Amino acid sequence: MASAKPASGEDSLIARYFRPLATDPGAFRLDDDAAALKPDGDDIVVTVDAIVEGVHFLPDDPPDTVARKALRVNLSDLAAKGAKPAGFVLALALRSTDEAWLKPFAAGLGEDAMQLGCPLLGGDTVSTPGPLMVSVTAFGRVPPGRMVHRSGAKAGERVMVTGTIGDAALGLAILRGGKIHAATDNAARELLVGRYRVPQPRLAMAEIVREYASASMDVSDGLAGDLTKLCGVSGISAVIDLERVPLSGAAADLVSRGIVGMEALLAGGDDYEILCTVAEDRVEPFAQAARRAGVSVGSIGTVVAGSGAPKFVDKAGRELALERLSYSHF
Amino acid sequence: MASAKPASGEDSLIARYFRPLATDPGAFRLDDDAAALKPDGDDIVVTVDAIVEGVHFLPDDPPDTVARKALRVNLSDLAAKGAKPAGFVLALALRSTDEAWLKPFAAGLGEDAMQLGCPLLGGDTVSTPGPLMVSVTAFGRVPPGRMVHRSGAKAGERVMVTGTIGDAALGLAILRGGKIHAATDNAARELLVGRYRVPQPRLAMAEIVREYASASMDVSDGLAGDLTKLCGVSGISAVIDLERVPLSGAAADLVSRGIVGMEALLAGGDDYEILCTVAEDRVEPFAQAARRAGVSVGSIGTVVAGSGAPKFVDKAGRELALERLSYSHF
């Protein structure tokens, strides 16, 4: 991003909407070709996630929620890796410079950047004839060598997950209309759609994950598929108690009425919760630390030796058959 | 990017095409949610540039050149800032997983990453119903506080530029057919189209720019517009000798035959050369150091006090009227 005198359309757009967000000294007021991150002895953790109109968000989603989601899905990765946010850069592909869209987009982005402690460092704004796309690369800091990996889960450990699972998938289903929309009241709809549009990255968990978890990732593509990935990289498997997978009241209600099945919630994606494994004797202090940080955690199953896909078992001991594990783009 | 067992389409795509490129230990074989950059006391310089099908590259451009361009336009920024490449992350939006496109794309990216010393650290692959988009965030290292800025140019300094200007704009014009295609032979076409498709980032100049330049940026949107930006941020103006703007033989031939005017070359964009200012008494050692590094540099004008747009003056002292200064997306 760059300013200019006389300003081109792109430059005046940046000056108007994005410069006010670039409060970090390393952003150089977006007046330069690049930003600078100062070393402080920590490792810099880097994550990138792009969201595409019609794929990750809907054309009529409020622009401020599109901005928040683009940033927050990246902050969710940082939290799961045990990292504290340090800043982000943005690549934004727009069809036009529509002020009615850009103004709330930038306002939402700025609010989140401030509140979540992750300043805008730089970016690139380009035109596209196609769907809007927002690509964020976010940076976090961890003490040297302390990034928490997907690998490292060991047999005997407990599988832990923050928050509740499946709400965002239900929110998306509500926005698309159909039976889940018909089966929910306004309060449930608002909660579930909110979970789809504006994830809550578990930043307060970063240090706790670093302290207690052997392996960790965020749940973005669906609990079943993401746990399968964690198991694959760790070289282990897992058995999950379906009953213990934490659900919101709204989701539990839909399941108990037979309107949705657990498999849809487990494979739904967009949860942005933290999935991690913790040694049995550390589960209690881990859960206490999480509670003190204001985050609920559930102990949903056990890591077991083996290389098969994790099993999801109901209270009668029956294994749930999952036709698909998670969202895949292709 | 993440691996999984069983692999989803997205995961197998990543394992197949991109894992072989992720040779840096901080990439964790693309098995994780994030990468890690180790601190070494240097500042981390961060730049992001996205390229969109139909805007920055053409639908029938060879896939390997699309990959190379996406990486190289970012490395050009790093070189202009005086930074040495340290790695990059990639956000790739694809309509489908077409092997005939992805295989050469990944091969080109891998070759460039290796040859230009900038390893793939991570990425995100998403589906899009629209045009392909490749967004690269690249990292470089500079000694603390030594990133070279757009600001800092002082009256009396010389305006310097590497390589030749306007070739890529001519290459694009040739690909679009019309009078420039008709007016060039095969050798000229190949050279000019090559300059459009595969920029040559001036990595060998990074240390030299750091040593000698007061202000620096890369020429990506057109020399006229980019110099205007540098002047604006530095709070100065400039007078450029049109005759001294370095042109390739092919470009000079088209100008001398009256087929293109200088203004098209100055506003064309996609040059990916370095534009910088150097104190008068340091121009000769700067040019010598560049020559030793295998890069030609031209001294094209003088920084002057003032805040107006830079002037482009011919040998008769007439100022060239520029209708547009550079490419702008909006």
Side-chain angles (χ1 to χ4, degrees), chain B residues 92-165:
Chain B
L92 185 58
L94 298 170
R95 276 186 301 276
S96 68
T97 57
D98 173 9
E99 181 168 13
W101 194 89
L102 268 170
K103 197 173 164 180
F105 177 88
L109 194 64
E111 270 182 34
D112 266 11
M114 182 76 77
Q115 280 172 17
L116 304 174
C118 194
L120 175 68
L121 294 176
D124 188 26
T125 309
V126 297
S127 60
T128 178
L132 303 197
M133 176 163 162
V134 192
S135 174
V136 167
T137 303
F139 312 104
R141 297 184 193 272
V142 286
R146 295 292 307 279
M147 178 175 131
V148 186
H149 293 278
R150 288 186 183 178
S151 58
K154 288 174 279 294
E157 293 183 333
R158 293 295 297 169
V159 179
M160 311 292 294
V161 69
T162 59
T164 56
I165 293 297

Side-chain angles (χ1 to χ4, degrees), chain A residues 63-84:
Chain A
D64 78 292
T65 71
V66 174
R68 290 179 204 273
K69 185 163 190 173
L71 181 57
R72 286 168 180 233
V73 301
N74 282 281
L75 296 185
S76 177
D77 279 319
L78 292 182
K81 303 291 100 182
K84 188 177 174 214

